[in-house]
Amino acid sequence: MNTDNLLVAYFSQYMDLSPAEIEVIKNTDIIREYEKNTVLLEAGQVAKNCFLVLKGCVRRYYIQDGEERIMDFYTENDPITPASYVSQTPSEYYLSCVEPSIISSGTDESTQEFIAKFPQFVPMFIKIGDQLSVKKQLSFDNFKNQSPEDRYQQLVATRPNLVNRVPQYMIASYLGIKPESLSRIRKRLFS
């Protein structure tokens, strides 16, 4: 699939696009391909872009006591708005590609220009923002109130594709446990 068509497919989930609107999307120069391990945002850097993962996987993590602590994974159709992008303060975490990825990115200026030219997209952006907010709140609540084993089962149930795409040590970090603990959980659940 052409990379422009990935963005058209994403927007089509939220609104019916006219041929003219499809052309507008295809003519934006906001899609890039990134290699595995490409760092999109470094800790200490002020984020200039927000992102939309069209294909691939990105992890959000910080370094604590010399160890990587993974906070989230973003895969196809997941928007990423770094806190640093909103606050314009140095980021506390990193964003890095777990696998080769195709990502749409935008700046505050480019988004404002796009909305000024094409106001018909505003309701779609609001809907995407609302859905993202609800998803993150539910994810945080579940994560905070569940045991590591329950969190792993929830991950397998809601994002089975992720468990097969991401190295197990990253899954363990995301769950807040050591890889050996994840091995024990997996053994208990699947043997």
Side-chain angles (χ1 to χ4, degrees), residues 18-174:
S18 69
E21 290 166 338
I22 290 171
E23 277 308 304
V24 165
I25 294 167
K26 286 184 173 185
N27 288 327
T28 59
D29 184 29
I30 58 174
I31 299 172
R32 301 282 181 270
E33 294 186 40
Y34 296 93
E35 294 179 11
K36 179 179 178 177
N37 298 322
T38 299
V39 176
L40 302 173
L41 176 65
E42 291 191 26
Q45 180 182 25
V46 176
K48 301 289 186 224
N49 294 298
C50 55
F51 307 97
L52 171 64
V53 180
L54 297 170
K55 188 170 182 3
C57 181
V58 173
R59 74 185 188 277
R60 177 170 58 96
Y61 64 98
Y62 61 96
I63 306 293
Q64 183 180 44
D65 300 326
E67 285 192 42
E68 191 177 289
R69 306 280 186 206
I70 297 176
M71 303 307 294
D72 211 347
F73 293 101
Y74 304 91
T75 56
E76 287 76 13
N77 297 331
D78 282 339
I80 308 170
T81 303
S84 169
Y85 176 82
V86 176
S87 66
Q88 286 300 289
T89 57
S91 178
E92 295 182 9
Y93 55 79
Y94 296 82
L95 291 171
S96 177
C97 297
V98 176
E99 58 191 29
S101 300
I102 299 172
I103 299 173
S104 171
S105 66
T107 63
D108 190 44
E109 292 165 354
S110 66
T111 302
Q112 295 306 322
E113 284 176 24
F114 185 82
I115 287 172
K117 285 183 190 173
F118 309 102
Q120 67 269 33
F121 286 98
V122 170
M124 178 191 65
F125 287 131
I126 292 170
K127 190 173 184 177
I128 292 168
D130 290 347
Q131 285 181 351
L132 181 63
S133 180
V134 168
K135 179 181 171 185
K136 289 295 169 195
Q137 186 61 50
L138 289 173
S139 176
F140 179 75
D141 290 348
N142 285 338
F143 194 85
K144 194 172 179 184
N145 296 317
Q146 293 178 328
S147 70
E149 187 166 323
D150 289 340
R151 288 196 300 263
Y152 181 72
Q153 287 181 300
Q154 175 83 14
L155 184 65
V156 170
T158 59
R159 300 179 80 183
N161 188 16
L162 186 67
V163 176
N164 297 322
R165 290 169 73 171
V166 174
Q168 292 305 297
Y169 75 91
M170 287 186 184
I171 296 291
S173 174
Y174 174 67

